[in-house]
PDB file of all heavy atoms in Angstrom:
ATOM      1  N   TYR M   1       0.862  -1.169   0.010  1.00 94.00           N
ATOM      2  CA  TYR M   1      -0.087  -0.023  -0.036  1.00 94.00           C
ATOM      3  C   TYR M   1       0.959   1.159   0.002  1.00 94.00           C
ATOM      4  O   TYR M   1       1.899   1.270   0.725  1.00 94.00           O
ATOM      5  CB  TYR M   1      -0.892  -0.014   1.220  1.00 94.00           C
ATOM      6  CG  TYR M   1      -1.474   1.339   1.546  1.00 94.00           C
ATOM      7  CD1 TYR M   1      -2.668   1.800   0.755  1.00 94.00           C
ATOM      8  CD2 TYR M   1      -1.016   2.301   2.397  1.00 94.00           C
ATOM      9  CE1 TYR M   1      -3.201   3.073   0.983  1.00 94.00           C
ATOM     10  CE2 TYR M   1      -1.604   3.432   2.715  1.00 94.00           C
ATOM     11  CZ  TYR M   1      -2.576   3.890   2.009  1.00 94.00           C
ATOM     12  OH  TYR M   1      -3.129   5.157   2.134  1.00 94.00           O
ATOM     13  N   LYS M   2       0.595   2.195  -0.803  1.00 94.00           N
ATOM     14  CA  LYS M   2       1.270   3.555  -0.803  1.00 94.00           C
ATOM     15  C   LYS M   2       0.176   4.621  -0.808  1.00 94.00           C
ATOM     16  O   LYS M   2      -0.672   4.622  -1.657  1.00 94.00           O
ATOM     17  CB  LYS M   2       2.239   3.612  -2.099  1.00 94.00           C
ATOM     18  CG  LYS M   2       3.390   2.700  -2.055  1.00 94.00           C
ATOM     19  CD  LYS M   2       4.295   3.057  -2.966  1.00 94.00           C
ATOM     20  CE  LYS M   2       5.564   2.048  -2.779  1.00 94.00           C
ATOM     21  NZ  LYS M   2       6.667   2.365  -3.715  1.00 94.00           N
ATOM     22  N   ASP M   3       0.409   5.412   0.172  1.00 92.00           N
ATOM     23  CA  ASP M   3      -0.528   6.593   0.371  1.00 92.00           C
ATOM     24  C   ASP M   3      -0.356   7.586  -0.867  1.00 92.00           C
ATOM     25  O   ASP M   3       0.836   7.884  -1.150  1.00 92.00           O
ATOM     26  CB  ASP M   3      -0.315   7.281   1.740  1.00 92.00           C
ATOM     27  CG  ASP M   3      -1.328   8.279   2.030  1.00 92.00           C
ATOM     28  OD1 ASP M   3      -2.580   8.122   1.845  1.00 92.00           O
ATOM     29  OD2 ASP M   3      -0.867   9.407   2.522  1.00 92.00           O
ATOM     30  N   LYS M   4      -1.344   8.170  -1.331  1.00 90.00           N
ATOM     31  CA  LYS M   4      -1.178   9.163  -2.398  1.00 90.00           C
ATOM     32  C   LYS M   4      -0.679  10.467  -2.022  1.00 90.00           C
ATOM     33  O   LYS M   4      -0.181  11.238  -2.848  1.00 90.00           O
ATOM     34  CB  LYS M   4      -2.419   9.221  -3.186  1.00 90.00           C
ATOM     35  CG  LYS M   4      -2.912   7.984  -3.867  1.00 90.00           C
ATOM     36  CD  LYS M   4      -4.248   8.067  -4.624  1.00 90.00           C
ATOM     37  CE  LYS M   4      -4.654   6.667  -5.179  1.00 90.00           C
ATOM     38  NZ  LYS M   4      -5.994   6.646  -5.697  1.00 90.00           N
ATOM     39  N   GLU M   5      -0.905  10.714  -0.704  1.00 88.00           N
ATOM     40  CA  GLU M   5      -0.690  12.210  -0.291  1.00 88.00           C
ATOM     41  C   GLU M   5       0.560  12.369   0.586  1.00 88.00           C
ATOM     42  O   GLU M   5       1.108  13.413   0.811  1.00 88.00           O
ATOM     43  CB  GLU M   5      -1.903  12.672   0.511  1.00 88.00           C
ATOM     44  CG  GLU M   5      -3.154  12.771  -0.334  1.00 88.00           C
ATOM     45  CD  GLU M   5      -4.377  13.230   0.333  1.00 88.00           C
ATOM     46  OE1 GLU M   5      -4.278  13.816   1.499  1.00 88.00           O
ATOM     47  OE2 GLU M   5      -5.498  13.029  -0.140  1.00 88.00           O
ATOM     48  N   THR M   6       1.084  11.207   1.105  1.00 90.00           N
ATOM     49  CA  THR M   6       2.277  11.217   2.018  1.00 90.00           C
ATOM     50  C   THR M   6       3.361  10.132   1.471  1.00 90.00           C
ATOM     51  O   THR M   6       2.968   9.427   0.563  1.00 90.00           O
ATOM     52  CB  THR M   6       1.886  10.980   3.474  1.00 90.00           C
ATOM     53  OG1 THR M   6       1.441   9.762   3.601  1.00 90.00           O
ATOM     54  CG2 THR M   6       0.819  11.954   3.920  1.00 90.00           C
ATOM     55  N   SER M   7       4.331  10.061   2.285  1.00 92.00           N
ATOM     56  CA  SER M   7       5.321   8.981   1.865  1.00 92.00           C
ATOM     57  C   SER M   7       5.049   7.640   2.664  1.00 92.00           C
ATOM     58  O   SER M   7       5.726   6.711   2.654  1.00 92.00           O
ATOM     59  CB  SER M   7       6.682   9.432   2.396  1.00 92.00           C
ATOM     60  OG  SER M   7       6.853   9.610   3.768  1.00 92.00           O
ATOM     61  N   CYS M   8       3.814   7.591   3.278  1.00 93.00           N
ATOM     62  CA  CYS M   8       3.531   6.327   4.058  1.00 93.00           C
ATOM     63  C   CYS M   8       3.144   5.184   3.068  1.00 93.00           C
ATOM     64  O   CYS M   8       2.637   5.297   1.997  1.00 93.00           O
ATOM     65  CB  CYS M   8       2.122   6.747   4.788  1.00 93.00           C
ATOM     66  SG  CYS M   8       1.559   5.194   5.777  1.00 93.00           S
ATOM     67  N   GLY M   9       3.753   4.078   3.566  1.00 94.00           N
ATOM     68  CA  GLY M   9       3.510   2.762   2.827  1.00 94.00           C
ATOM     69  C   GLY M   9       3.495   1.627   3.702  1.00 94.00           C
ATOM     70  O   GLY M   9       4.035   1.666   4.871  1.00 94.00           O
ATOM     71  N   ILE M  10       2.796   0.634   3.417  1.00 95.00           N
ATOM     72  CA  ILE M  10       2.717  -0.686   4.103  1.00 95.00           C
ATOM     73  C   ILE M  10       3.001  -1.776   3.369  1.00 95.00           C
ATOM     74  O   ILE M  10       2.480  -1.908   2.221  1.00 95.00           O
ATOM     75  CB  ILE M  10       1.325  -0.920   4.862  1.00 95.00           C
ATOM     76  CG1 ILE M  10       0.879   0.282   5.745  1.00 95.00           C
ATOM     77  CG2 ILE M  10       1.370  -2.138   5.633  1.00 95.00           C
ATOM     78  CD1 ILE M  10       1.690   0.530   6.975  1.00 95.00           C
ATOM     79  N   ALA M  11       3.950  -2.750   3.765  1.00 96.00           N
ATOM     80  CA  ALA M  11       4.194  -3.951   3.127  1.00 96.00           C
ATOM     81  C   ALA M  11       3.480  -5.071   3.799  1.00 96.00           C
ATOM     82  O   ALA M  11       3.658  -5.146   5.001  1.00 96.00           O
ATOM     83  CB  ALA M  11       5.689  -4.201   2.942  1.00 96.00           C
ATOM     84  N   PHE M  12       2.884  -5.889   3.045  1.00 95.00           N
ATOM     85  CA  PHE M  12       2.073  -7.193   3.569  1.00 95.00           C
ATOM     86  C   PHE M  12       2.749  -8.352   3.178  1.00 95.00           C
ATOM     87  O   PHE M  12       3.143  -8.468   2.003  1.00 95.00           O
ATOM     88  CB  PHE M  12       0.693  -7.053   3.158  1.00 95.00           C
ATOM     89  CG  PHE M  12      -0.130  -5.976   3.548  1.00 95.00           C
ATOM     90  CD1 PHE M  12      -0.177  -4.809   2.697  1.00 95.00           C
ATOM     91  CD2 PHE M  12      -0.870  -5.835   4.713  1.00 95.00           C
ATOM     92  CE1 PHE M  12      -0.939  -3.642   3.136  1.00 95.00           C
ATOM     93  CE2 PHE M  12      -1.554  -4.724   5.088  1.00 95.00           C
ATOM     94  CZ  PHE M  12      -1.702  -3.604   4.270  1.00 95.00           C
ATOM     95  N   GLN M  13       2.940  -9.346   4.082  1.00 96.00           N
ATOM     96  CA  GLN M  13       3.554 -10.635   3.776  1.00 96.00           C
ATOM     97  C   GLN M  13       2.435 -11.690   4.204  1.00 96.00           C
ATOM     98  O   GLN M  13       2.131 -11.786   5.487  1.00 96.00           O
ATOM     99  CB  GLN M  13       4.759 -10.944   4.344  1.00 96.00           C
ATOM    100  CG  GLN M  13       5.491 -12.197   4.156  1.00 96.00           C
ATOM    101  CD  GLN M  13       5.996 -12.429   2.794  1.00 96.00           C
ATOM    102  OE1 GLN M  13       6.614 -11.500   2.259  1.00 96.00           O
ATOM    103  NE2 GLN M  13       5.648 -13.584   2.128  1.00 96.00           N
ATOM    104  N   PHE M  14       1.958 -12.495   3.417  1.00 95.00           N
ATOM    105  CA  PHE M  14       0.812 -13.415   3.802  1.00 95.00           C
ATOM    106  C   PHE M  14       1.439 -14.790   3.834  1.00 95.00           C
ATOM    107  O   PHE M  14       2.174 -15.348   2.992  1.00 95.00           O
ATOM    108  CB  PHE M  14      -0.278 -13.431   2.705  1.00 95.00           C
ATOM    109  CG  PHE M  14      -0.862 -12.140   2.524  1.00 95.00           C
ATOM    110  CD1 PHE M  14      -0.525 -11.168   1.529  1.00 95.00           C
ATOM    111  CD2 PHE M  14      -1.891 -11.655   3.390  1.00 95.00           C
ATOM    112  CE1 PHE M  14      -1.114  -9.959   1.362  1.00 95.00           C
ATOM    113  CE2 PHE M  14      -2.462 -10.402   3.338  1.00 95.00           C
ATOM    114  CZ  PHE M  14      -2.007  -9.573   2.268  1.00 95.00           C
ATOM    115  N   ALA M  15       1.017 -15.553   4.874  1.00 94.00           N
ATOM    116  CA  ALA M  15       1.470 -17.039   5.129  1.00 94.00           C
ATOM    117  C   ALA M  15       0.257 -17.643   5.590  1.00 94.00           C
ATOM    118  O   ALA M  15      -0.564 -16.976   6.356  1.00 94.00           O
ATOM    119  CB  ALA M  15       2.665 -17.100   5.908  1.00 94.00           C
ATOM    120  N   SER M  16       0.146 -18.901   5.554  1.00 89.00           N
ATOM    121  CA  SER M  16      -1.037 -19.774   5.969  1.00 89.00           C
ATOM    122  C   SER M  16      -1.534 -19.139   7.329  1.00 89.00           C
ATOM    123  O   SER M  16      -1.171 -19.467   8.431  1.00 89.00           O
ATOM    124  CB  SER M  16      -0.693 -21.180   6.134  1.00 89.00           C
ATOM    125  OG  SER M  16       0.381 -21.405   7.010  1.00 89.00           O
ATOM    126  N   GLY M  17      -2.803 -18.448   7.140  1.00 90.00           N
ATOM    127  CA  GLY M  17      -3.446 -18.020   8.390  1.00 90.00           C
ATOM    128  C   GLY M  17      -2.930 -16.876   9.075  1.00 90.00           C
ATOM    129  O   GLY M  17      -3.256 -16.394  10.211  1.00 90.00           O
ATOM    130  N   ARG M  18      -1.716 -16.357   8.536  1.00 94.00           N
ATOM    131  CA  ARG M  18      -1.111 -15.101   9.070  1.00 94.00           C
ATOM    132  C   ARG M  18      -0.785 -14.008   8.052  1.00 94.00           C
ATOM    133  O   ARG M  18      -0.688 -14.208   6.841  1.00 94.00           O
ATOM    134  CB  ARG M  18       0.252 -15.552   9.714  1.00 94.00           C
ATOM    135  CG  ARG M  18       0.096 -16.577  10.917  1.00 94.00           C
ATOM    136  CD  ARG M  18       1.455 -16.726  11.544  1.00 94.00           C
ATOM    137  NE  ARG M  18       1.938 -15.664  12.289  1.00 94.00           N
ATOM    138  CZ  ARG M  18       1.462 -15.259  13.523  1.00 94.00           C
ATOM    139  NH1 ARG M  18       0.383 -15.988  14.051  1.00 94.00           N
ATOM    140  NH2 ARG M  18       1.988 -14.268  14.126  1.00 94.00           N
ATOM    141  N   VAL M  19      -0.686 -12.826   8.698  1.00 94.00           N
ATOM    142  CA  VAL M  19      -0.214 -11.649   7.755  1.00 94.00           C
ATOM    143  C   VAL M  19       0.770 -10.854   8.604  1.00 94.00           C
ATOM    144  O   VAL M  19       0.545 -10.645   9.853  1.00 94.00           O
ATOM    145  CB  VAL M  19      -1.453 -10.761   7.347  1.00 94.00           C
ATOM    146  CG1 VAL M  19      -2.090 -10.108   8.448  1.00 94.00           C
ATOM    147  CG2 VAL M  19      -0.849  -9.698   6.380  1.00 94.00           C
ATOM    148  N   SER M  20       1.890 -10.510   8.000  1.00 95.00           N
ATOM    149  CA  SER M  20       2.956  -9.611   8.669  1.00 95.00           C
ATOM    150  C   SER M  20       2.897  -8.395   7.930  1.00 95.00           C
ATOM    151  O   SER M  20       2.773  -8.244   6.691  1.00 95.00           O
ATOM    152  CB  SER M  20       4.246 -10.257   8.621  1.00 95.00           C
ATOM    153  OG  SER M  20       4.302 -11.457   9.295  1.00 95.00           O
ATOM    154  N   ILE M  21       2.973  -7.361   8.754  1.00 94.00           N
ATOM    155  CA  ILE M  21       2.926  -5.933   8.168  1.00 94.00           C
ATOM    156  C   ILE M  21       4.172  -5.254   8.648  1.00 94.00           C
ATOM    157  O   ILE M  21       4.625  -5.315   9.720  1.00 94.00           O
ATOM    158  CB  ILE M  21       1.683  -5.132   8.369  1.00 94.00           C
ATOM    159  CG1 ILE M  21       1.472  -5.020   9.982  1.00 94.00           C
ATOM    160  CG2 ILE M  21       0.452  -5.795   7.845  1.00 94.00           C
ATOM    161  CD1 ILE M  21       0.322  -3.987  10.314  1.00 94.00           C
ATOM    162  N   LYS M  22       4.712  -4.346   7.643  1.00 95.00           N
ATOM    163  CA  LYS M  22       5.855  -3.524   8.003  1.00 95.00           C
ATOM    164  C   LYS M  22       5.572  -2.156   7.462  1.00 95.00           C
ATOM    165  O   LYS M  22       5.237  -2.137   6.151  1.00 95.00           O
ATOM    166  CB  LYS M  22       7.197  -4.203   7.480  1.00 95.00           C
ATOM    167  CG  LYS M  22       8.348  -3.350   7.746  1.00 95.00           C
ATOM    168  CD  LYS M  22       9.658  -4.225   7.383  1.00 95.00           C
ATOM    169  CE  LYS M  22      10.884  -3.395   7.590  1.00 95.00           C
ATOM    170  NZ  LYS M  22      11.119  -3.005   8.964  1.00 95.00           N
ATOM    171  N   GLU M  23       5.806  -1.091   8.133  1.00 93.00           N
ATOM    172  CA  GLU M  23       5.732   0.300   7.659  1.00 93.00           C
ATOM    173  C   GLU M  23       6.873   0.603   6.835  1.00 93.00           C
ATOM    174  O   GLU M  23       8.052   0.330   7.168  1.00 93.00           O
ATOM    175  CB  GLU M  23       5.598   1.131   8.938  1.00 93.00           C
ATOM    176  CG  GLU M  23       5.288   2.531   8.631  1.00 93.00           C
ATOM    177  CD  GLU M  23       5.052   3.382   9.818  1.00 93.00           C
ATOM    178  OE1 GLU M  23       4.332   3.001  10.721  1.00 93.00           O
ATOM    179  OE2 GLU M  23       5.740   4.473   9.987  1.00 93.00           O
ATOM    180  N   ILE M  24       6.708   1.175   5.643  1.00 92.00           N
ATOM    181  CA  ILE M  24       7.645   1.631   4.781  1.00 92.00           C
ATOM    182  C   ILE M  24       7.461   3.074   4.501  1.00 92.00           C
ATOM    183  O   ILE M  24       6.279   3.361   4.042  1.00 92.00           O
ATOM    184  CB  ILE M  24       7.891   0.699   3.433  1.00 92.00           C
ATOM    185  CG1 ILE M  24       6.495   0.533   2.827  1.00 92.00           C
ATOM    186  CG2 ILE M  24       8.466  -0.585   3.656  1.00 92.00           C
ATOM    187  CD1 ILE M  24       6.638  -0.159   1.521  1.00 92.00           C
ATOM    188  N   GLY M  25       8.264   3.904   4.738  1.00 85.00           N
ATOM    189  CA  GLY M  25       8.001   5.431   4.604  1.00 85.00           C
ATOM    190  C   GLY M  25       7.514   5.903   5.921  1.00 85.00           C
ATOM    191  O   GLY M  25       7.333   5.129   6.863  1.00 85.00           O
ATOM    192  N   GLY M  26       7.136   7.108   5.917  1.00 86.00           N
ATOM    193  CA  GLY M  26       6.752   7.818   7.173  1.00 86.00           C
ATOM    194  C   GLY M  26       5.195   7.807   7.254  1.00 86.00           C
ATOM    195  O   GLY M  26       4.598   8.383   6.460  1.00 86.00           O
ATOM    196  N   CYS M  27       4.671   7.200   8.228  1.00 89.00           N
ATOM    197  CA  CYS M  27       3.223   7.119   8.388  1.00 89.00           C
ATOM    198  C   CYS M  27       2.730   7.872   9.669  1.00 89.00           C
ATOM    199  O   CYS M  27       1.671   7.633  10.354  1.00 89.00           O
ATOM    200  CB  CYS M  27       2.752   5.695   8.478  1.00 89.00           C
ATOM    201  SG  CYS M  27       2.924   4.625   7.040  1.00 89.00           S
ATOM    202  N   GLY M  28       3.725   8.751  10.101  1.00 87.00           N
ATOM    203  CA  GLY M  28       3.454   9.541  11.441  1.00 87.00           C
ATOM    204  C   GLY M  28       2.165  10.319  11.408  1.00 87.00           C
ATOM    205  O   GLY M  28       1.590  10.580  12.392  1.00 87.00           O
ATOM    206  N   ALA M  29       1.568  10.647  10.307  1.00 89.00           N
ATOM    207  CA  ALA M  29       0.319  11.363  10.360  1.00 89.00           C
ATOM    208  C   ALA M  29      -0.870  10.518  10.758  1.00 89.00           C
ATOM    209  O   ALA M  29      -1.909  11.114  11.035  1.00 89.00           O
ATOM    210  CB  ALA M  29       0.035  11.926   8.800  1.00 89.00           C
ATOM    211  N   TYR M  30      -0.696   9.215  10.699  1.00 88.00           N
ATOM    212  CA  TYR M  30      -1.667   8.323  10.966  1.00 88.00           C
ATOM    213  C   TYR M  30      -1.572   7.610  12.351  1.00 88.00           C
ATOM    214  O   TYR M  30      -2.359   6.751  12.713  1.00 88.00           O
ATOM    215  CB  TYR M  30      -1.787   7.309   9.928  1.00 88.00           C
ATOM    216  CG  TYR M  30      -2.089   7.886   8.489  1.00 88.00           C
ATOM    217  CD1 TYR M  30      -1.063   8.028   7.672  1.00 88.00           C
ATOM    218  CD2 TYR M  30      -3.396   8.344   8.290  1.00 88.00           C
ATOM    219  CE1 TYR M  30      -1.294   8.561   6.390  1.00 88.00           C
ATOM    220  CE2 TYR M  30      -3.632   8.895   6.961  1.00 88.00           C
ATOM    221  CZ  TYR M  30      -2.529   9.013   6.081  1.00 88.00           C
ATOM    222  OH  TYR M  30      -2.759   9.621   4.860  1.00 88.00           O
ATOM    223  N   ARG M  31      -0.507   7.908  12.997  1.00 89.00           N
ATOM    224  CA  ARG M  31      -0.234   7.207  14.278  1.00 89.00           C
ATOM    225  C   ARG M  31       0.683   8.097  15.292  1.00 89.00           C
ATOM    226  O   ARG M  31       1.074   9.083  14.881  1.00 89.00           O
ATOM    227  CB  ARG M  31       0.642   5.954  14.145  1.00 89.00           C
ATOM    228  CG  ARG M  31       1.929   6.146  13.266  1.00 89.00           C
ATOM    229  CD  ARG M  31       2.874   5.066  13.330  1.00 89.00           C
ATOM    230  NE  ARG M  31       4.002   5.349  12.550  1.00 89.00           N
ATOM    231  CZ  ARG M  31       4.956   6.166  12.797  1.00 89.00           C
ATOM    232  NH1 ARG M  31       4.933   6.930  13.942  1.00 89.00           N
ATOM    233  NH2 ARG M  31       6.057   6.318  11.891  1.00 89.00           N
ATOM    234  N   GLY M  32       0.764   7.613  16.424  1.00 83.00           N
ATOM    235  CA  GLY M  32       1.660   8.426  17.471  1.00 83.00           C
ATOM    236  C   GLY M  32       3.073   8.307  17.143  1.00 83.00           C
ATOM    237  O   GLY M  32       3.567   7.418  16.256  1.00 83.00           O
ATOM    238  N   VAL M  33       3.863   9.167  17.708  1.00 83.00           N
ATOM    239  CA  VAL M  33       5.285   9.283  17.352  1.00 83.00           C
ATOM    240  C   VAL M  33       6.080   8.009  17.638  1.00 83.00           C
ATOM    241  O   VAL M  33       7.027   7.588  16.997  1.00 83.00           O
ATOM    242  CB  VAL M  33       5.894  10.449  18.180  1.00 83.00           C
ATOM    243  CG1 VAL M  33       7.364  10.376  18.481  1.00 83.00           C
ATOM    244  CG2 VAL M  33       5.644  11.660  17.362  1.00 83.00           C
ATOM    245  N   ARG M  34       5.716   7.320  18.734  1.00 81.00           N
ATOM    246  CA  ARG M  34       6.470   6.075  19.171  1.00 81.00           C
ATOM    247  C   ARG M  34       5.823   4.765  18.718  1.00 81.00           C
ATOM    248  O   ARG M  34       6.090   3.730  19.237  1.00 81.00           O
ATOM    249  CB  ARG M  34       6.862   6.068  20.681  1.00 81.00           C
ATOM    250  CG  ARG M  34       7.775   7.059  21.092  1.00 81.00           C
ATOM    251  CD  ARG M  34       8.069   7.117  22.457  1.00 81.00           C
ATOM    252  NE  ARG M  34       6.927   7.950  23.079  1.00 81.00           N
ATOM    253  CZ  ARG M  34       6.752   8.091  24.346  1.00 81.00           C
ATOM    254  NH1 ARG M  34       7.441   7.309  25.249  1.00 81.00           N
ATOM    255  NH2 ARG M  34       5.848   8.815  24.845  1.00 81.00           N
ATOM    256  N   CYS M  35       4.795   4.815  17.916  1.00 86.00           N
ATOM    257  CA  CYS M  35       3.939   3.750  17.504  1.00 86.00           C
ATOM    258  C   CYS M  35       4.249   3.414  16.074  1.00 86.00           C
ATOM    259  O   CYS M  35       4.574   4.348  15.303  1.00 86.00           O
ATOM    260  CB  CYS M  35       2.548   4.033  17.584  1.00 86.00           C
ATOM    261  SG  CYS M  35       1.984   4.617  19.191  1.00 86.00           S
ATOM    262  N   PHE M  36       4.233   2.191  15.532  1.00 87.00           N
ATOM    263  CA  PHE M  36       4.437   1.795  14.218  1.00 87.00           C
ATOM    264  C   PHE M  36       3.497   0.800  13.769  1.00 87.00           C
ATOM    265  O   PHE M  36       2.951  -0.006  14.507  1.00 87.00           O
ATOM    266  CB  PHE M  36       5.803   1.210  14.056  1.00 87.00           C
ATOM    267  CG  PHE M  36       6.948   2.211  14.309  1.00 87.00           C
ATOM    268  CD1 PHE M  36       7.519   2.311  15.568  1.00 87.00           C
ATOM    269  CD2 PHE M  36       7.371   3.098  13.403  1.00 87.00           C
ATOM    270  CE1 PHE M  36       8.412   3.255  15.887  1.00 87.00           C
ATOM    271  CE2 PHE M  36       8.339   4.091  13.653  1.00 87.00           C
ATOM    272  CZ  PHE M  36       8.889   4.141  14.897  1.00 87.00           C
ATOM    273  N   PHE M  37       3.067   0.838  12.460  1.00 86.00           N
ATOM    274  CA  PHE M  37       2.260  -0.142  11.893  1.00 86.00           C
ATOM    275  C   PHE M  37       3.084  -1.350  11.541  1.00 86.00           C
ATOM    276  O   PHE M  37       3.447  -1.514  10.421  1.00 86.00           O
ATOM    277  CB  PHE M  37       1.519   0.370  10.629  1.00 86.00           C
ATOM    278  CG  PHE M  37       0.531   1.516  10.844  1.00 86.00           C
ATOM    279  CD1 PHE M  37       0.768   2.781  10.532  1.00 86.00           C
ATOM    280  CD2 PHE M  37      -0.675   1.212  11.456  1.00 86.00           C
ATOM    281  CE1 PHE M  37      -0.070   3.827  10.750  1.00 86.00           C
ATOM    282  CE2 PHE M  37      -1.629   2.206  11.700  1.00 86.00           C
ATOM    283  CZ  PHE M  37      -1.274   3.487  11.370  1.00 86.00           C
ATOM    284  N   GLU M  38       3.336  -2.124  12.564  1.00 89.00           N
ATOM    285  CA  GLU M  38       4.227  -3.268  12.312  1.00 89.00           C
ATOM    286  C   GLU M  38       3.782  -4.490  13.184  1.00 89.00           C
ATOM    287  O   GLU M  38       3.361  -4.217  14.291  1.00 89.00           O
ATOM    288  CB  GLU M  38       5.639  -2.984  12.498  1.00 89.00           C
ATOM    289  CG  GLU M  38       6.222  -1.946  11.512  1.00 89.00           C
ATOM    290  CD  GLU M  38       7.697  -1.751  11.518  1.00 89.00           C
ATOM    291  OE1 GLU M  38       8.321  -2.442  12.202  1.00 89.00           O
ATOM    292  OE2 GLU M  38       8.129  -1.008  10.738  1.00 89.00           O
ATOM    293  N   GLY M  39       4.033  -5.685  12.703  1.00 89.00           N
ATOM    294  CA  GLY M  39       3.684  -6.829  13.557  1.00 89.00           C
ATOM    295  C   GLY M  39       3.259  -8.016  12.640  1.00 89.00           C
ATOM    296  O   GLY M  39       3.092  -7.936  11.415  1.00 89.00           O
ATOM    297  N   SER M  40       2.969  -9.134  13.375  1.00 92.00           N
ATOM    298  CA  SER M  40       2.465 -10.320  12.663  1.00 92.00           C
ATOM    299  C   SER M  40       1.277 -10.783  13.417  1.00 92.00           C
ATOM    300  O   SER M  40       1.132 -10.707  14.634  1.00 92.00           O
ATOM    301  CB  SER M  40       3.526 -11.456  12.903  1.00 92.00           C
ATOM    302  OG  SER M  40       3.135 -12.549  12.160  1.00 92.00           O
ATOM    303  N   TYR M  41       0.151 -11.015  12.561  1.00 88.00           N
ATOM    304  CA  TYR M  41      -1.231 -11.268  13.157  1.00 88.00           C
ATOM    305  C   TYR M  41      -1.707 -12.627  12.606  1.00 88.00           C
ATOM    306  O   TYR M  41      -1.658 -12.836  11.372  1.00 88.00           O
ATOM    307  CB  TYR M  41      -2.120 -10.091  12.834  1.00 88.00           C
ATOM    308  CG  TYR M  41      -1.465  -8.734  13.318  1.00 88.00           C
ATOM    309  CD1 TYR M  41      -0.632  -8.076  12.482  1.00 88.00           C
ATOM    310  CD2 TYR M  41      -1.645  -8.396  14.543  1.00 88.00           C
ATOM    311  CE1 TYR M  41      -0.149  -6.847  12.980  1.00 88.00           C
ATOM    312  CE2 TYR M  41      -1.021  -7.283  15.029  1.00 88.00           C
ATOM    313  CZ  TYR M  41      -0.327  -6.456  14.317  1.00 88.00           C
ATOM    314  OH  TYR M  41       0.263  -5.296  14.669  1.00 88.00           O
ATOM    315  N   SER M  42      -2.408 -13.339  13.453  1.00 92.00           N
ATOM    316  CA  SER M  42      -3.193 -14.598  13.099  1.00 92.00           C
ATOM    317  C   SER M  42      -4.543 -14.261  12.624  1.00 92.00           C
ATOM    318  O   SER M  42      -5.150 -13.311  13.177  1.00 92.00           O
ATOM    319  CB  SER M  42      -3.293 -15.569  14.259  1.00 92.00           C
ATOM    320  OG  SER M  42      -1.927 -15.951  14.610  1.00 92.00           O
ATOM    321  N   LYS M  43      -5.068 -15.077  11.644  1.00 82.00           N
ATOM    322  CA  LYS M  43      -6.404 -14.920  11.243  1.00 82.00           C
ATOM    323  C   LYS M  43      -7.371 -15.425  12.312  1.00 82.00           C
ATOM    324  O   LYS M  43      -7.025 -16.397  12.934  1.00 82.00           O
ATOM    325  CB  LYS M  43      -6.637 -15.859   9.961  1.00 82.00           C
ATOM    326  CG  LYS M  43      -8.093 -15.629   9.430  1.00 82.00           C
ATOM    327  CD  LYS M  43      -8.132 -16.499   8.199  1.00 82.00           C
ATOM    328  CE  LYS M  43      -9.588 -16.597   7.543  1.00 82.00           C
ATOM    329  NZ  LYS M  43      -9.704 -17.273   6.353  1.00 82.00           N
ATOM    330  N   LYS M  44      -8.392 -14.622  12.563  1.00 80.00           N
ATOM    331  CA  LYS M  44      -9.469 -14.978  13.613  1.00 80.00           C
ATOM    332  C   LYS M  44     -10.446 -15.874  13.016  1.00 80.00           C
ATOM    333  O   LYS M  44     -10.781 -15.622  11.849  1.00 80.00           O
ATOM    334  CB  LYS M  44      -9.921 -13.674  14.111  1.00 80.00           C
ATOM    335  CG  LYS M  44      -9.147 -13.001  15.171  1.00 80.00           C
ATOM    336  CD  LYS M  44      -9.864 -11.682  15.699  1.00 80.00           C
ATOM    337  CE  LYS M  44      -9.005 -11.022  16.655  1.00 80.00           C
ATOM    338  NZ  LYS M  44      -9.765  -9.892  17.290  1.00 80.00           N
TER     339      LYS M  44
END
């Protein structure tokens, strides 16, 4: 995902029943200063 108005981007990696996300670029306009859109999550 790449935001059209800022340098914010998200990379998604899919694996059986999981998705990992990593922030690429600056997404500070959408989150707090010490927070990031990153992690690995299981399908509910």
Side-chain angles (χ1 to χ4, degrees):
Y1 164 78
K2 290 195 178 184
D3 188 44
K4 294 176 183 173
E5 298 177 16
T6 67
S7 63
C8 179
I10 303 287
F12 298 92
Q13 178 73 46
F14 301 96
S16 56
R18 297 188 71 74
V19 63
S20 296
I21 60 173
K22 181 169 176 65
E23 189 174 309
I24 48 176
C27 296
Y30 302 103
R31 58 160 173 75
V33 150
R34 290 180 276 169
C35 309
F36 295 94
F37 292 109
E38 299 195 357
S40 183
Y41 304 93
S42 297
K43 182 178 179 181
K44 290 185 177 182

